[in-house]
Amino acid sequence: MPGTVQSIERAAAVLRLLAGGAGRLSLGEIARSLDLAKGTTHGILQTLRKVGFVEQDRVSGQYQLGAAMLRLGTGYLDVNELRSRSINWADPLAARSGEAVRIGTVLDGQVLVVHHVFRPDDTFQTLDVGSLLPMHATALGKALLAYGATPPASLDRFTSRTVGTQRELAAALRAVRECGWSADIEELTPGEASIAAPIRAYGGLVVGAIGISGHVERLCDSRYHPRPHLVANVRDAARAVSRDLGAARR
C-alpha cells in the first residue's frame, strides 16, 4: 500500500493551524508552530495562496484562510444542518439577551439568514429567514468576512456610519479577528445595532455566524460600546454551536 504524501500532510497542518487561530499568522509563527523550515513553509503557503486556500495581507505579510476554503466549508455543511444545530442555542440566547437572534452564512457575496428567533416580547416583528444582508454593514457579515469570505468590491452606504472604504473595512476586520466578535452600530439601520460571533465546524473552519440585534440603546452603553454581558452571551452561544458542529473547544 502506498504511504502518505508528506507535502499534503504539511499543507493540511498549515490549514488546520490557520483555521484554529484567532487572526493572521506570520511565516515565522507558522514555521515554528509546525516545526518546519521557513523555506518549506513559504513554498506550501505560496501554493495554497495560488489555489485560493490562503490569503496574504499586503501590508503585514501575514497569512489567513482564503475565500476558497470558506466556500468549501459552506458546501460541506448543508444550510439545514447549520440551522438545525443552531436552534438549540438560539432560543436561550434570545431569552438571556432579550433581543432577536439571527444565524447567517455566506451566499453569493451576501449574508443569508437561515434562522431567526424573535425578540421575547409582544412587539410586532417580521421573520427574516431567507433574507439577504450586506456583508460589510452587519455584524453577521463582518464575522464571516474576518475569517475568509470575499469582501464586496463596492461598499454601499446605508447610513452615515456605514463602513465606506476598503481600508476602513480591513481595519474593522482586523479588530474582529483580534477580539473574536463583531458589531455594527447603526451601520445598516439608524437606531439599530447588532453583535455577532463566528460559528466554526470541524477543523476550525468558519461556516456561519450567530448574533443578536435590537435598539442601539439596549445593546450599547452611552459611548456606543456594545455591552460586555451581551458580547459574552453571543460568544458563548457561538462556541456552543461550534462544539455541536465538531469544532475544538476554544
Side-chain angles (χ1 to χ4, degrees):
M1 294 292 290
T4 59
V5 180
Q6 187 181 60
S7 59
I8 296 178
E9 286 186 332
R10 288 174 170 176
V14 169
L15 293 173
R16 283 195 296 268
L17 180 65
L18 292 173
R24 295 188 178 102
L25 295 175
S26 68
L27 170 63
E29 290 170 329
I30 296 170
R32 287 193 298 273
S33 296
L34 300 178
D35 195 23
L36 295 174
K38 280 190 176 181
T40 300
T41 306
H42 183 264
I44 294 171
L45 287 167
Q46 292 309 304
T47 301
L48 292 172
R49 185 182 62 79
K50 288 181 180 179
V51 298
F53 286 2
V54 165
E55 293 177 355
Q56 185 177 21
D57 182 71
R58 293 182 179 180
V59 177
S60 67
Q62 294 179 319
Y63 296 89
Q64 66 177 14
L65 288 182
M69 282 301 297
L70 183 65
R71 286 193 292 271
L72 281 179
T74 53
Y76 156 76
L77 182 70
D78 184 84
V79 166
N80 289 326
E81 182 180 1
L82 174 62
R83 181 177 183 275
S84 65
R85 296 296 183 94
S86 303
I87 285 175
N88 291 336
W89 305 104
D91 287 340
L93 176 58
R96 286 195 299 271
S97 65
E99 303 296 342
V101 174
R102 291 182 296 188
I103 296 160
T105 190
V106 179
L107 178 66
D108 297 332
Q110 299 182 82
V111 180
L112 171 67
V113 178
V114 300
H115 187 57
H116 179 200
V117 179
F118 284 162
R119 186 173 57 255
D121 59 25
D122 296 327
T123 59
F124 176 77
Q125 299 173 67
T126 303
L127 189 65
D128 286 343
V129 173
S131 298
L132 292 171
L133 306 175
M135 301 280 280
H136 67 290
T138 59
L140 290 173
K142 290 178 188 176
L144 295 166
L145 286 171
Y147 296 98
T150 303
S154 60
L155 305 179
D156 295 333
R157 281 194 175 273
F158 300 95
T159 74
S160 62
R161 298 178 65 91
T162 306
V163 172
T165 68
Q166 294 293 342
R167 178 174 293 184
E168 290 175 340
L169 180 59
L173 299 183
R174 283 196 296 272
V176 173
R177 287 188 289 270
E178 289 171 0
C179 66
W181 56 274
S182 58
D184 88 74
I185 315 297
E186 297 187 313
E187 294 179 46
L188 181 62
T189 305
E192 296 288 314
S194 60
I195 302 167
I199 294 172
R200 298 175 183 270
Y202 181 79
L205 193 66
V206 172
V207 294
I210 184 171
I212 60 174
S213 58
H215 290 306
V216 66
E217 293 85 0
R218 295 198 303 264
L219 268 66
C220 302
D221 60 23
S222 59
R223 295 179 296 173
Y224 273 56
H225 294 162
R227 300 185 187 277
H229 75 280
L230 295 177
V231 172
N233 288 342
V234 170
R235 297 192 71 188
D236 287 346
R239 291 189 189 102
V241 178
S242 298
R243 288 195 297 270
D244 276 0
L245 290 171
R249 293 180 177 270
R250 299 174 63 83

